[in-house]
Amino acid sequence: MTFSLAAKVLVLLLFVGSILYVHLRGKARLPVLRQFVNHSALFAPYNALMYLFSGVPSKPYLDRSKFPELDVLRDNWETIRDEAMHLFDEGYIRAAEKNNDAGFGSFFKKGWKRFYLKWYDKPLPSAETLCPKTVALVSAIPNVKGAMFALLPGGSHLNPHRDPFAGSLRYHLGLSTPNSDDCRIFVDGQVYAWRDGEDVMFDETYVHWVKNETEQTRVILFCDVERPLSNRLMTRINRAISAWLGRATAPQNLDDERVGGINQAYAWSKHFSDKFSGVVKQWKRRNPKAYRIMRPVLAVVVLTLLGYWLFG
């Protein structure tokens, strides 16, 4: 085996091993095939490093008291709620109107909506204008990298999923909730029900899902908090990667705000995939037998190309 081939095999094994490690971490899992094609698989090697050097325990829910800097958000929850409900009443908490929000594109189909406050580098101009008190509170906490108001209507749900990037943790603060056990999130199968003025920290790279089985809309403050790491070099690397991803996924509340390259590419791909998927569905209905034959054929083609890359 040549050095070049050995290096390719090693890279492949590390990549596959990382995906399997992420997949087997925790009790709740996505189907194996879905995990390998899920967007979280792309970050699996990086996430494995984050887990290795994590300064917090590897478990679904984390001790919120270990993040005392977030107390100011909980202590001012009513001020934050008032600004959030004003935005809600005015219709500013909404889905991405141009399909340019890659991180949450699938959520919008379930009625989930958001209004961004800050996204990694700085607050959004619309947020500074429309909810200045909340922006000031969030911006005063350096390890809060992203923040938004997130809404989920009654009678809706979010399917099981895992977030792709382990460089951050997730913080939720209840603002206007049903205050019911029927409005809850499951993280690795463990349940938490939102309550007004109460907060929770969890690791969003565990499989999690949401159910709002009430008739009331749930509104929360939703933040990405930098994951504490035990190694200074890894901390610097994580901050650099986070900053790059933040710029690439920059979102917008209003049309005149900047959109990152990844979100622009997502909007473009969504436009063409919607057209293509319609054609595929029509062809599938008209040619069900041919469709069943083509699926394994395509799988063989992909494996052949992979084998050519490794051994060609």
Side-chain angles (χ1 to χ4, degrees), residues 29-67:
R29 294 164 190 160
L30 301 176
V32 175
L33 290 178
R34 180 184 166 192
Q35 179 61 66
F36 271 84
V37 298
N38 186 265
H39 59 302
S40 64
L42 296 174
F43 285 92
Y46 183 82
N47 289 350
L49 283 175
M50 294 295 99
Y51 302 141
L52 178 64
F53 292 101
S54 182
V56 296
S58 181
K59 59 183 184 178
Y61 291 98
L62 301 166
D63 185 353
R64 227 295 276 131
S65 66
K66 301 298 183 181
F67 298 83

Side-chain angles (χ1 to χ4, degrees), residues 112-128:
W112 186 88
K113 300 176 182 178
R114 83 292 182 265
F115 182 89
Y116 286 97
L117 303 166
K118 175 186 178 182
W119 197 246
Y120 284 80
D121 54 352
K122 58 185 178 181
L124 276 71
S126 56
E128 291 180 303

Side-chain angles (χ1 to χ4, degrees), residues 8 297-312:
K8 290 179 180 179
V297 168
L298 289 173
V300 169
V301 169
V302 171
L303 290 174
T304 301
L305 292 174
L306 180 60
Y308 179 78
W309 176 74
L310 284 172
F311 306 108

